[in-house]
Amino acid sequence: MKPVFLHLMRHGAPEGAGKLLGHSDAAPTEQGISACRERAENLAVTRIISSDLSRAQKAAISIAGDRGMTAESDARWRELDFGEWDGCHASALPANALAAFWDDPENCPPPHGERWSDLLRRIDSGLAEIGDDTLVITHAGPMRAALCVLLGLDYRQSWAFDLPYASLLSLQIWPDEPRSAQIIGLAA
């Protein structure tokens, strides 16, 4: 199968930035939506997908509307579920538990939260359905998970990439099994 282009965009700034927003449905700011629209202006895609959370979904709907397209919503592209920590500022959490989580999200997940391997499975499943040039508006965690799935990076290596709000990570992927990819651009 021929390679396709996959563009992963982190949603723009949300209301409540600075909190662990995992599955919390924080609304995007107008500036956040505008930043995503501007970043997507020159992308040639035939499909637009987003997380089902409004901070990603509203940007996808806006970008799709600019192009006369329809955006698809897919819960697999949600951020990692931070469980009991969802919606909290990091400064309000037990420092030792938070440090253990950042060091090893697989073995030290947030209370009642998602393990790193759960996120990897969700993203792997979403990636399996990418068959044409696609823009996915998602969150930093799923973008890092996609790097791990597609490039064989481990969790720590995925943190070598700065992924601020409205950043765009572009990859060329070969969707056949075994799936492979290469990074062709990062606009942070």
Side-chain angles (χ1 to χ4, degrees):
M1 178 177 257
K2 71 178 183 80
V4 297
F5 295 99
L6 172 63
H7 305 281
L8 300 172
M9 182 184 293
R10 186 176 180 196
H11 60 81
E15 300 290 337
K19 296 179 181 178
L20 297 175
L21 292 177
H23 285 197
S24 294
D25 200 13
T29 63
E30 286 303 317
Q31 296 87 351
I33 292 172
S34 293
C36 290
R37 288 175 70 193
E38 184 177 320
R39 183 75 73 186
E41 269 182 4
N42 296 316
L43 295 179
V45 296
T46 58
R47 189 173 178 204
I48 298 174
I49 304 171
S50 77
S51 155
D52 64 336
L53 298 173
S54 64
R55 61 189 182 269
Q57 192 175 53
K58 288 186 179 183
I61 290 168
S62 185
I63 292 167
D66 291 344
R67 297 160 179 255
M69 297 172 68
T70 302
E72 303 169 41
S73 178
D74 187 338
R76 291 177 295 188
W77 289 98
R78 277 185 174 202
E79 180 59 276
L80 183 82
D81 183 357
F82 293 116
E84 292 176 14
W85 295 352
D86 223 312
C88 296
H89 280 281
S91 62
L93 300 174
N96 290 344
L98 186 61
F101 164 70
W102 290 126
D103 186 55
D104 186 0
E106 177 62 24
N107 294 306
C108 303
H112 300 103
E114 195 172 22
R115 292 184 181 283
W116 180 250
S117 59
D118 297 327
L119 178 61
L120 290 175
R121 274 191 291 281
R122 277 197 286 121
I123 298 308
D124 187 39
S125 174
L127 288 167
E129 294 181 13
I130 302 296
D132 44 0
D133 296 346
T134 303
L135 168 63
V136 178
I137 301 173
T138 187
H139 313 268
M143 291 172 74
R144 294 180 198 292
L147 288 170
C148 293
V149 169
L150 291 170
L151 302 175
L153 302 180
D154 66 29
Y155 168 75
R156 282 186 173 78
Q157 291 169 323
S158 74
W159 277 92
F161 297 87
D162 184 26
L163 301 173
Y165 296 128
S167 59
L168 180 68
L169 175 64
S170 297
L171 301 113
Q172 186 172 21
I173 64 171
W174 289 264
D176 293 334
E177 290 297 328
R179 212 174 315 132
S180 62
Q182 72 182 100
I183 296 170
I184 58 171
L186 175 60

